[in-house]
Amino acid sequence: LKDFKLSISSLNAYLRCPLSFYYEKVLQVPTVTTEAAAYGTAIHHALMVLFEKMRRSETKKFPAQKHFLGYFNQEMKRQKGYFTEKEYERRLELGRANLSRIYTHFLPTWHKNTLAEYPIKNTQFRGVPLTGVIDKVDLHKEHAHVVDYKTGSHNPIKLARPSKSKPYGG
């Protein structure tokens, strides 16, 4: 464990199952990517490219919606081996619909001084080395807003604070 660094994925693996954490994160036994994880990767990729292209453009304008959906389509093709044919088509349709709604609803209010897929390295909290990647950081004058994308279903129990009955929280 000398070189081990804690990431949110590692922490979540430990909270879910300490034995699974040991095999996956400490011994680094390879695991198979799930369809849900591959879909999430494609969604994250599309959002990352969208914000990076806006940030790097001279006009600070977001690419057109068709390009945004193209970034998703491209990554889904790369992830295709993790899906059955039927599930691939279902997730492709679901992703296009969700990203179209996100683009239409949120684009007018999205902050433009932003960093996408921001890496955290050489950081410690109370002596514990931390590592990971923040999905998006909106940089404001006096504060930063950290964004973590989620593609699974919303479960408020997972976000519960620690309590006497559940010392680790959700």
Side-chain angles (χ1 to χ4, degrees), residues 16 36 43 60 72 83-84 94 108 112 145 148 167:
R16 186 176 60 251
I43 295 286
K60 299 292 183 223
F72 171 72
F83 298 93
T84 64
L94 179 66
K112 292 189 175 182
H145 181 212
D148 184 41

Side-chain angles (χ1 to χ4, degrees), residues 136-148:
K136 186 170 71 103
V137 180
D138 292 338
L139 303 169
H140 298 270
K141 286 184 181 180
E142 296 183 15
H143 72 282
H145 181 212
V146 175
V147 177
D148 184 41

Side-chain angles (χ1 to χ4, degrees), residues 10-170:
S10 298
L11 177 60
N12 284 333
Y14 178 80
L15 294 174
R16 186 176 60 251
C17 175
L19 184 59
S20 175
F21 161 81
Y22 176 70
Y23 281 104
E24 292 175 23
K25 304 300 181 181
V26 176
L27 296 181
Q28 297 183 343
V29 173
T31 59
V32 177
T33 297
T34 65
E35 291 176 356
Y39 171 74
T41 296
I43 295 286
H44 275 72
H45 175 79
L47 288 160
M48 183 219 30
V49 174
L50 180 77
F51 278 96
E52 280 301 307
K53 289 201 179 270
M54 176 279 301
R55 191 173 71 84
R56 292 182 180 167
S57 75
E58 289 182 22
T59 60
K60 299 292 183 223
K61 288 187 179 179
F62 287 100
Q65 184 173 345
K66 69 179 181 178
H67 298 299
F68 179 44
L69 297 177
Y71 311 145
F72 171 72
N73 293 338
Q74 178 185 22
E75 188 59 25
M76 281 294 288
K77 284 180 187 173
R78 287 181 15 92
Q79 301 290 328
K80 192 171 185 175
Y82 298 111
F83 298 93
T84 64
E85 191 62 37
K86 185 177 180 181
E87 189 61 21
Y88 177 78
E89 292 301 324
R90 188 183 79 77
R91 294 282 187 160
L92 196 59
E93 186 178 318
L94 179 66
R96 288 174 180 160
N98 286 336
L99 289 175
S100 291
R101 281 192 296 275
I102 287 168
Y103 189 93
T104 302
H105 183 78
F106 290 107
L107 184 111
T109 61
W110 272 334
H111 192 69
K112 292 189 175 182
N113 187 11
T114 188
L115 301 171
E117 299 295 318
Y118 185 73
I120 301 297
K121 301 176 186 173
N122 303 319
T123 302
Q124 289 191 8
F125 179 73
R126 297 184 182 167
V128 177
L130 301 175
T131 188
V133 178
I134 298 174
D135 293 338
K136 186 170 71 103
V137 180
D138 292 338
L139 303 169
H140 298 270
K141 286 184 181 180
E142 296 183 15
H143 72 282
H145 181 212
V146 175
V147 177
D148 184 41
Y149 303 132
K150 295 295 176 208
T151 54
S153 59
H154 175 71
N155 183 350
I157 293 169
K158 289 184 177 182
L159 301 174
R161 292 177 177 261
S163 65
K164 288 183 181 180
S165 64
K166 291 190 175 190
Y168 297 126

